[in-house]
Amino acid sequence: MAVSFCGRRIVTTRRNFLKIPKRHGYIVLLPEIGEESSEKNPLLKDDNLPEFNTITIEKCIAAIGRQTVEFEEKMNNLEQIVQTKPDLNVFNDCLHQIEETYLPLETTWGIAKTLYFGNQSLMPTKSYMGIHERAIRAASNKFNSRPIFKACKEALENKDIELTHEQKRVLAKYVLEGTLNGLALQDNKQYENYMDDTNFIISHCKEYKTKYEAATGAYNLVIQNREIVEDFPEDVLRSIASNPSQPILGPWTITLRPYILKPFMEYCSDRELRAAVWDADVVRCSMYQEKSVQTSIILEELRARRTEQAQRLGYKHYAEMSMETKMAGSLENLKNTLEILRKTALPAQKQEIANLTEFAKERGFEDDILRVWDVAYWSRKQRRSLYNYDNDEWRSYFPLPTVLSGLFEHIETLFNIKIVESKKADIWHKDVWFFDVFDLNRSDTVPVANFYLDPYARGTEKFRKEQDSGWVSMIKNKSKICNSIPLVALIFNFPPPVGDKPSLLSFKDVQVFFQKFGHTLQHLLTTVEYSDIAGLSFVEWDAVFICDFFMENWLYEPSVLQKISSHYETKQPLPAEIIENIKNMKSYFAGYNLCEELYLSHLDLELHSSGTFWVPMMKRLWPQYFVLPLEKRDVHVCSFEAIWSGSWASAYYSKIWSEMIAADLYKAFQEIKPNDEAQQKELGARFRDTFLYLGGSYPAAEIFRKFRGRDPNAQVLLENLGLIQARK
């Protein structure tokens, strides 16, 4: 279970189930019924942990079939109850029963997703998508019931009903979700039009996704010349070689999949090939390709229909409506913040590009100016030159067992949390570990949560999308009603051990690991009793990555780097020179990278708040954020998949916002006097008691003020990235 958000956007959220937390969808279709089982949840053992040793596709399909029908029937019955029962107790008579019936369904859904990410031989894509769609159709009922919406709204507004803070927050969620699903529309025709908009948007998002995948899959470039790939790391060669077991033999196939495209642009020394692959990427789904994969008309139709739907609810446009579920609060506040960041990042980028151009010319670059397809290649070389960045050498100091034990020690010191490996759980592969999580403030004998860790790459058996990626699969959320504690699966593609040689992580691997673990902690440690607002549920979109970036920030502390590192052979600590280079490398190309994210964020907001055709919009915004000119054939809006078929329309900026909040929170720890362990423990306890405990039971802005005593400051992110000097 994870973040749940509102409005028509929720309908499409689970389409992008690969990268973001789970949210609720709203289409009512009756699923097919799988074979019956008399058990409450046939996929769980007596200890309520998944029975991974015996789970099959057939069992998952049967379980989801039965549970979805049960949930739909329960919702229908509850609608009758809330309309006919006098003196209705909305929690005892309705919401508790929804939670009791929905959680088993969600657990089965989470188990299937975990297998999909972790073992595709047990859960192929086609099978998972069937389960995924089936669960969506059932979950559509949860926040799309007019009688339940009305009952929650009346209970929330009734001053005579005694409610706990958490209960008020649960009701507020039902009211907000329902309102943004059109349930407050009094006129039936208006509501029908709203639902027509919803169905139109869903079908067009699907159509876009199909075209995007077709355009992506259609491109491949076969390289026969070994000299072209001579600088490629072995793991990259393995992913593109015709025979992965002999990666240096070739031929090698380049595609537009992110985990191939990104390293290719960084390591390919042939400039013409880089330009060709870059061009293939930016013309995807555009008028430069065959009509069957063009998306310009679809995205304009999506923009128009999203605007219509928002206006039916009384908003000016879709971007304004989206702010209802964001920590930023308003477009004015958001745009002002992004502009503060841009004003510093753009001048920094100008200097970065000038320095990179000079660096490239000193090493044989013959053109007058760099082009966009040169940046990744030459910046990699410059980064290595400036910081002596040797990925293979650095890997030797980050064996996974050392990183893991160091991270656990840091978490225990900071939050008084103990993590202990356990052998009691079934696992889906011999490499999977299982852990008990103890909150020592509550008990040192009874775990408050559990998680699986599946760290190693296994060829095509595991799902992979980006070069450096990990997945946090939520299996169970905390629920007092269901006597349920959180359960999560962390799934990565780290290099497996070879003989006596342990898994050695790149520094990027370590960054991803810390980020995903921060994300997981917020789910595992919640003290909230209702699953609808526990952990990451009902956390605003732009606040959902705060703990990710907060944990990553610790990687630049020498004391933490020393905890998580040790040469796998010599056991020597990480040299001081490497520690210093890691700290300094954080600010490398920070202006360019921030401008890129700010540009896409602004573009997304403009696309969903303006009726201007996207071509002139793109041409107007580009020079505000980039030193290098927009190339003539660059039509990247057509392949901006996250906002067209994903769920990040008017929300692409969310990671920047989360990163800004995380930097401000981390700054509080930097303000402590060196070696003041008592104050660090006090601050760690305060962070645990707010951001890790409270979940979605309070707005994120209020939780921030509980911790920091003020509102966020964008300047702190600029300091964190090394773009301005830290204030004393």
Side-chain angles (χ1 to χ4, degrees):
M1 185 175 304
V3 189
S4 175
F5 296 109
C6 311
R8 175 228 342 140
R9 306 188 47 178
I10 305 170
V11 182
T12 60
T13 298
R14 288 196 186 268
R15 315 290 170 185
N16 194 25
F17 61 93
L18 302 180
K19 291 193 69 176
I20 62 174
K22 297 194 295 182
R23 303 181 179 99
H24 300 287
Y26 302 119
I27 316 173
V28 180
L29 294 172
L30 191 66
E32 302 163 7
I33 303 176
E35 85 182 48
E36 283 291 323
S37 169
S38 60
E39 300 174 61
K40 179 81 172 175
N41 192 327
L43 305 185
L44 300 182
K45 300 185 297 180
D46 291 340
D47 60 2
N48 282 324
L49 291 172
E51 199 168 12
F52 279 116
N53 289 347
T54 61
I55 287 176
T56 63
I57 295 170
E58 291 74 21
K59 283 187 177 182
C60 286
I61 292 172
I64 206 74
R66 177 174 63 81
Q67 291 163 343
T68 52
V69 171
E70 287 179 353
F71 182 68
E72 288 171 338
E73 290 176 345
K74 173 63 73 174
M75 292 297 296
N76 289 333
N77 292 337
L78 291 174
E79 285 189 343
Q80 298 301 315
I81 291 172
V82 299
Q83 293 180 92
T84 59
K85 184 174 181 178
D87 301 321
L88 176 79
N89 183 313
V90 72
F91 277 91
N92 291 339
D93 297 333
C94 183
L95 299 186
H96 288 175
Q97 295 185 52
I98 291 176
E99 189 157 320
E100 286 176 349
T101 313
Y102 183 71
L103 255 64
L105 183 160
E106 192 171 52
T107 298
T108 298
W109 196 350
I111 290 169
K113 183 168 68 170
T114 297
L115 290 176
Y116 172 71
F117 287 146
N119 193 333
Q120 294 207 321
S121 61
L122 291 176
M123 185 59 65
T125 299
K126 184 176 181 181
S127 299
Y128 174 71
M129 287 308 300
I131 292 170
H132 176 73
E133 293 292 336
R134 186 173 288 190
I136 288 174
R137 293 197 293 267
S140 66
N141 292 270
K142 190 173 182 183
F143 298 108
N144 206 30
S145 165
R146 196 184 293 270
I148 293 173
F149 165 75
K150 183 180 177 183
C152 290
K153 191 169 187 294
E154 290 175 352
L156 187 61
E157 294 171 350
N158 190 337
K159 304 297 183 183
D160 297 329
I161 300 177
E162 290 188 11
L163 298 168
T164 66
H165 171 79
E166 287 190 10
Q167 287 176 328
K168 290 178 182 178
R169 186 69 172 161
V170 170
L171 291 174
K173 175 177 180 175
Y174 271 82
V175 171
L176 181 58
E177 299 256 12
T179 300
L180 293 181
N181 277 335
L183 297 183
L185 294 171
Q186 299 300 315
D187 184 82
N188 287 336
K189 184 62 178 177
Q190 283 185 317
Y191 181 72
E192 289 174 7
N193 290 337
Y194 186 93
M195 293 311 296
D196 286 343
D197 291 339
T198 296
N199 293 328
F200 178 94
I201 290 164
I202 291 170
S203 65
H204 276 60
C205 285
K206 281 185 174 181
E207 184 181 355
Y208 176 92
K209 184 72 170 180
T210 300
K211 289 175 178 285
Y212 176 84
E213 292 294 343
T216 300
Y219 181 84
N220 64 75
L221 171 71
V222 178
I223 297 175
Q224 303 283 353
N225 185 350
R226 185 173 172 178
E227 290 182 5
I228 292 173
V229 299
E230 63 181 356
D231 290 336
F232 285 41
E234 186 177 330
D235 61 329
V236 176
L237 285 177
R238 196 175 292 112
S239 68
I240 62 177
S242 58
N243 182 357
S245 65
Q246 295 182 305
I248 63 171
L249 294 184
W252 303 272
T253 301
I254 307 304
T255 72
L256 300 181
R257 301 295 177 190
Y259 67 93
I260 291 176
L261 176 65
K262 188 172 183 291
F264 174 82
M265 298 302 292
E266 290 178 351
Y267 287 96
C268 178
S269 58
D270 189 310
R271 193 184 189 207
E272 290 186 5
L273 280 184
R274 290 201 307 272
V277 173
W278 171 88
D279 182 82
D281 180 40
V282 298
V283 302
R284 256 188 300 180
C285 303
S286 73
M287 68 289 291
Y288 293 113
Q289 295 198 300
E290 60 183 65
K291 194 170 183 179
S292 64
V293 296
Q294 291 179 14
T295 62
S296 181
I297 293 176
I298 293 176
L299 67 88
E300 285 297 324
E301 290 175 340
L302 276 171
R303 290 176 66 198
R305 194 60 70 97
R306 284 170 173 168
T307 298
E308 282 182 31
Q309 195 173 49
Q311 289 174 346
R312 292 190 202 283
L313 297 183
Y315 298 97
K316 292 179 183 177
H317 40 62
Y318 187 78
E320 182 182 65
M321 185 178 80
S322 82
M323 289 297 106
E324 293 283 5
T325 57
K326 307 300 187 298
M327 181 183 176
S330 70
L331 277 176
E332 181 183 12
N333 182 45
L334 171 58
K335 289 182 176 180
N336 287 342
T337 301
L338 298 182
E339 179 62 12
I340 289 171
L341 299 175
R342 188 194 72 86
K343 283 182 176 178
T344 296
L346 183 61
Q349 180 197 159
K350 290 178 179 177
Q351 188 59 53
E352 290 165 354
I353 292 296
N355 292 343
L356 186 64
T357 303
E358 182 180 353
F359 174 86
K361 286 183 175 181
E362 289 172 353
R363 286 154 182 80
F365 181 72
E366 297 178 351
D367 205 340
D368 290 333
I369 60 169
L370 293 173
R371 309 287 282 272
V372 285
W373 52 82
D374 297 318
V375 172
Y377 175 75
W378 285 108
S379 62
R380 176 187 64 82
K381 284 183 166 292
Q382 187 184 43
R383 185 174 67 244
R384 175 162 184 165
S385 174
L386 289 173
Y387 307 108
N388 196 25
Y389 178 51
D390 186 325
N391 200 31
D392 289 336
E393 180 189 355
W394 288 21
R395 275 184 190 274
S396 300
Y397 288 95
F398 294 111
L400 178 59
T402 305
V403 174
L404 200 60
S405 63
L407 173 59
F408 289 175
E409 180 187 345
H410 180 58
I411 288 170
E412 182 175 359
T413 301
L414 206 56
F415 305 130
N416 206 25
I417 302 298
K418 189 79 173 177
I419 300 173
V420 181
E421 185 179 7
S422 170
K423 301 293 185 182
K424 67 184 179 185
D426 287 357
I427 52 179
W428 57 91
H429 190 276
K430 63 180 179 61
D431 291 338
V432 177
W433 299 338
F434 182 79
F435 295 91
D436 290 325
V437 180
F438 298 91
D439 185 341
L440 301 180
N441 302 286
R442 292 184 256 177
S443 172
D444 59 359
T445 57
V446 180
V448 297
N450 307 105
F451 69 93
Y452 301 91
L453 174 62
D454 186 358
Y456 308 131
R458 292 193 290 272
T460 58
E461 185 178 303
K462 278 187 170 182
F463 179 85
R464 189 174 187 185
K465 188 172 184 179
E466 297 179 352
Q467 181 188 9
D468 307 294
S469 59
W471 311 107
V472 180
S473 178
M474 312 297 190
I475 301 174
K476 294 168 69 176
N477 203 357
K478 182 175 174 62
S479 168
K480 184 177 181 180
I481 304 301
C482 299
N483 194 28
S484 168
I485 65 172
L487 178 64
V488 170
L490 278 161
I491 301 170
F492 299 94
N493 280 289
F494 298 148
V498 178
D500 294 333
K501 184 178 179 181
S503 171
L504 300 178
L505 308 189
S506 68
F507 186 68
K508 182 61 178 176
D509 289 335
V510 178
Q511 286 178 302
V512 170
F513 190 43
F514 267 59
Q515 282 186 5
K516 299 304 178 184
F517 213 88
H519 198 78
T520 301
L521 283 176
Q522 194 169 358
H523 183 80
L524 295 177
L525 298 179
T526 185
T527 57
V528 178
E529 296 182 347
Y530 289 95
S531 66
D532 274 318
I533 56 171
L536 288 160
S537 300
F538 207 39
V539 173
E540 293 92 332
W541 291 53
D542 49 3
V544 81
F545 300 110
I546 289 173
C547 292
D548 305 46
F549 290 113
F550 174 79
M551 285 304 298
E552 184 193 350
N553 273 312
W554 288 99
L555 275 179
Y556 302 95
E557 288 289 342
S559 61
V560 174
L561 282 170
Q562 288 164 354
K563 279 183 187 177
I564 66 170
S565 64
S566 172
H567 196 282
Y568 79 98
E569 288 181 320
T570 67
K571 310 305 178 187
Q572 292 297 308
L574 194 65
E577 179 188 359
I578 294 181
I579 290 176
E580 190 64 22
N581 282 333
I582 287 175
K583 286 178 60 181
N584 294 334
M585 197 169 66
K586 184 179 184 181
S587 62
Y588 176 73
F589 240 57
Y592 182 93
N593 294 332
L594 181 56
C595 279
E596 185 173 41
E597 291 302 300
L598 289 170
Y599 164 73
L600 292 172
S601 299
H602 192 169
L603 179 64
D604 169 35
L605 293 171
E606 194 87 354
L607 285 165
H608 290 100
S609 62
S610 164
T612 304
F613 185 52
W614 62 266
V615 174
M617 181 189 299
M618 176 184 68
K619 290 181 177 179
R620 173 174 56 83
L621 291 179
W622 180 276
Q624 296 178 30
Y625 291 90
F626 291 102
V627 176
L628 301 179
L630 178 68
E631 297 289 339
K632 185 177 180 180
R633 282 171 57 88
D634 189 343
V635 284
H636 52 270
V637 175
C638 293
S639 57
F640 198 175
E641 188 261 347
I643 67 170
W644 301 129
S645 69
S647 49
W648 293 99
S650 288
Y652 189 85
Y653 78 91
S654 293
K655 283 196 174 182
I656 292 178
W657 191 272
S658 287
E659 189 174 3
M660 178 186 74
I661 301 300
D664 208 336
L665 296 171
Y666 179 66
K667 176 74 172 177
F669 289 86
Q670 292 179 301
E671 291 167 353
I672 298 173
K673 293 179 181 178
N675 303 317
D676 190 339
E677 295 182 6
Q679 194 173 357
Q680 186 177 89
K681 283 183 177 292
E682 187 276 326
L683 265 184
R686 195 195 310 168
F687 187 88
R688 180 198 64 220
D689 294 347
T690 52
F691 280 92
L692 299 182
Y693 275 2
L694 296 179
S697 65
Y698 289 88
E702 190 172 335
I703 294 176
F704 181 89
R705 284 191 290 270
K706 284 177 182 288
F707 180 85
R708 207 70 168 100
R710 58 169 173 75
D711 289 329
N713 184 348
Q715 296 290 332
V716 180
L717 175 59
L718 297 172
E719 293 174 11
N720 184 275
L721 295 173
L723 292 173
I724 61 175
Q725 187 173 358
R727 295 164 296 171
K728 300 297 183 184

